């Protein structure tokens, strides 16, 4: 391992040992900003951390994004650099994403073999789908205008360093719903006196499954999941209130709108049949992530230049990505980078024994540098 690779490994493991949750990345932001300043970059600290690097006289600019937040997970691992913050863990690889982008900043600062401006975007709170929009609301795209934007996410189960992406939809949207059922509780021995909310809720759980099975086209990719069922019932008390919470994933805005409408229709109909009231909330925080064709082609070229295997027509991912808000504002590309198939590097994202693969750090950093050279080429003559 050469000095550059070792420096990246040490930095990544430092991030890993000190994870912070979304919008509370105070030490993380300071560490990122100090590293960028030490490289001589112009640094702005706001909701996130933004740094700019200019070379030549070109007027084009591209943005490269890394996410900074960790997850509320207690780490279970065998390595010697575990989280030192109980109940908080970098279980999605954001420690590696930051480190790869900082490594790219070092390469580009040293060589400056491009013509234009690179805007390094270190974003908070990706996990809850709020960080990108917060940076946009703060005016990051007005203060640091960019022509294109890119982001990497590691992918466990794929070969180390394999790049995969696609034009068009790359990640699903995520919407969260909550249905409150207001019935009449009572004694468990006399159910006929009221309308217990748990029976209505059970019927509603089953009925919601018909949205995907019978109301949307086969192959739509939509998923409707009830994830929580809460009541105020007790051992011998029929509940008067019940709350269903759940998660909806869609590949198209029109399907998302349809699921919202059908969910409300079903809930209101079942409530009316039982003579109870319902309150319904349906909120979308992650919209669909859409890749633009030109940036996807650029990623493929840069990947080949960096010596990576490239798949430019992969299937869409079912998970959601906060990068969608950046890609909706300017043309962009979200890509996956294989984390490996064995051991903790092959464990699923958000698993308590997952770990980012340090072998990816120099690969990702050099890929970023190749992408900058592709999108901001030095003009001959």
């Amino acid at each position: 391992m050469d000095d550059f690779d070792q420096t990246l490994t040490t930095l990544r493991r430092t991030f890993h040992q000190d994870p912070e949750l979304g919008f509370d990345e105070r030490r993380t932001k300071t560490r990122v900003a100090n590293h960028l300043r030490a490289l001589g970059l112009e640094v702005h600290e706001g909701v996130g951390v933004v740094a700019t690097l200019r070379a030549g006289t070109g007027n084009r600019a591209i943005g490269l994004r890394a996410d900074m937040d960790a997850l509320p997970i207690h780490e279970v691992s065998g390595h010697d650099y575990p989280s030192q913050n109980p109940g908080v863990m970098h279980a999605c690889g954001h420690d590696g994403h930051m480190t790869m982008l900082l490594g790219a900043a070092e390469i580009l600062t040293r060589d400056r073999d491009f013509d234009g401006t690179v805007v390094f975007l270190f974003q908070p709170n990706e996990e809850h789908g709020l960080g990108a929009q917060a940076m946009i609301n703060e005016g990051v795209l007005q203060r640091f205008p960019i022509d294109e934007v890119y982001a990497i996410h590691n992918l466990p189960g794929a070969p180390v360093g394999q790049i995969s992406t696609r034009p068009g939809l790359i990640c699903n949207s995520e919407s969260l719903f909550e249905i409150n059922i207001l019935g009449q509780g009572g004694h468990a021995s006399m159910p006929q006196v009221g309308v217990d909310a748990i029976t209505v809720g059970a019927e509603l759980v089953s009925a919601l499954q018909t949205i995907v099975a019978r109301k949307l086209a086969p192959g739509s990719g939509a998923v409707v999941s009830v994830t929580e069922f809460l009541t105020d019932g007790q051992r011998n008390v029929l509940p008067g209130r019940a709350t269903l919470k759940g998660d909806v994933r869609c590949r198209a805005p029109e399907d998302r709108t349809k699921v919202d409408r059908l969910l409300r229709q079903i809930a209101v109909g079942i409530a009316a049949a039982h003579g109870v009231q319902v309150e319904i909330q349906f909120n979308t925080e992650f919209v669909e992530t859409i890749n633009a064709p030109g940036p996807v082609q650029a990623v493929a070229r840069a990947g080949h230049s960096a010596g990576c295997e490239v798949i430019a027509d992969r299937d869409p991912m079912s998970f959601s990505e906060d990068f969608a808000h950046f890609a909706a504002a300017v043309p962009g590309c979200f890509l996956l980078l294989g984390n490996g198939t064995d051991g903790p590097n092959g464990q699923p994202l958000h698993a308590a024994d997952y770990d980012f693969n340090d072998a990816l750090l120099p690969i990702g950093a050099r890929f970023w540098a190749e992408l900058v050279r592709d999108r901001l080429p030095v003009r001959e003559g």
Side-chain angles (χ1 to χ4, degrees):
M1 183 180 294
D2 63 25
D3 291 344
F4 179 69
D5 294 9
Q6 184 58 60
T7 297
L8 295 184
T9 296
T10 300
L11 179 60
R12 202 280 296 183
R13 294 182 179 184
T14 300
F15 281 129
H16 188 87
Q17 289 182 297
D18 191 16
E20 297 174 293
L21 298 176
F23 287 145
D24 194 31
E25 305 98 333
R26 291 169 293 177
R27 295 181 303 278
T28 302
K29 286 172 63 177
T30 297
R31 187 170 287 118
V32 167
N34 288 345
H35 193 97
L36 292 164
R37 288 193 180 100
L39 294 174
L41 275 67
E42 298 176 28
V43 178
H44 167 77
E45 294 183 65
V47 172
V49 179
V50 181
T52 56
L53 177 62
R54 300 178 179 85
T57 59
N59 58 10
R60 275 179 50 80
I62 65 169
L64 310 179
R65 189 221 69 171
D67 32 22
M68 299 188 292
D69 55 324
L71 287 155
I73 295 173
H74 179 76
E75 182 169 3
V76 178
S77 60
H79 55 66
D80 58 0
Y81 47 88
S83 168
Q84 299 302 299
N85 302 331
V88 184
M89 176 191 174
H90 271 300
C92 203
H94 297 184
D95 49 348
H97 302 166
M98 288 185 285
T99 304
M100 290 189 295
L101 193 52
L102 290 171
E106 181 173 344
I107 293 171
L108 294 167
T109 300
R110 181 180 64 236
D111 297 337
R112 296 186 185 248
D113 49 354
F114 62 96
D115 185 25
T117 301
V118 184
V119 179
F120 300 91
L121 302 162
F122 291 85
Q123 177 206 308
N125 205 341
E126 188 281 326
E127 295 293 350
H128 291 134
L130 301 173
Q133 192 61 55
M135 293 183 74
I136 292 170
N137 291 346
E138 191 182 43
V140 68
L141 296 179
Q142 286 72 45
R143 184 168 182 179
F144 306 98
I146 52 179
D147 298 291
E148 297 171 355
V149 66
Y150 298 84
I152 287 175
H153 205 294
N154 76 96
L155 184 61
V160 177
Q162 180 193 76
I163 289 172
S164 61
T165 188
R166 61 177 283 118
L169 179 102
I170 182 69
C171 295
N172 285 9
S173 64
E174 181 187 25
S175 304
L176 303 178
F177 66 85
E178 180 174 314
I179 303 172
N180 292 307
I181 303 165
L182 312 176
Q184 175 61 61
H187 200 288
S189 69
M190 295 181 287
Q192 77 280 4
V193 175
V195 181
D196 68 284
I198 200 166
T199 301
V200 180
E203 185 174 332
L204 187 51
V205 169
S206 295
L208 292 178
Q209 305 312 306
T210 66
I211 293 176
V212 172
R214 290 294 180 267
K215 305 297 184 182
L216 298 181
S220 70
V223 181
V224 176
S225 299
V226 177
T227 57
E228 296 182 68
F229 194 147
L230 311 171
T231 79
D232 62 354
Q234 299 292 330
R235 170 179 170 179
N236 61 348
V237 178
L238 294 173
R241 293 183 62 96
T243 298
L244 303 182
K245 296 184 180 182
D247 181 285
V248 175
R249 308 286 171 139
C250 291
R251 293 182 178 178
E254 55 270 26
D255 284 344
R256 175 160 39 94
T257 300
K258 189 172 184 179
V259 170
D260 183 6
R261 176 176 59 80
L262 290 169
L263 181 145
R264 293 176 187 275
Q265 177 181 308
I266 290 170
V268 170
I270 288 177
H274 290 279
V276 301
Q277 300 295 314
V278 289
E279 300 169 344
I280 305 164
Q281 298 178 39
F282 189 98
N283 300 310
T284 299
E285 292 174 345
F286 294 87
V287 296
E288 296 80 7
T289 306
I290 308 298
N291 283 345
V296 170
Q297 294 165 9
V299 163
R301 290 193 300 269
H304 289 304
S305 296
C308 300
E309 177 190 2
V310 176
I311 299 173
D313 59 350
R314 69 155 300 116
D315 291 335
M317 303 299 297
S318 60
F319 61 65
S320 305
E321 172 54 58
D322 194 19
F323 176 73
H325 294 291
F326 283 123
V330 295
C333 180
F334 179 78
L335 62 125
L336 291 307
L337 189 61
N339 197 56
T341 59
D342 300 322
N345 306 137
Q347 294 300 96
L349 298 171
H350 296 200
D353 56 348
Y354 160 88
D355 193 24
F356 187 89
N357 191 342
D358 289 326
L360 270 188
L361 298 172
I363 296 172
R366 290 171 180 131
F367 163 77
W368 276 138
E370 288 295 337
L371 181 65
V372 170
R373 295 175 188 125
D374 182 277
R375 303 315 287 153
L376 304 175
V378 175
R379 292 174 292 181
E380 296 183 2

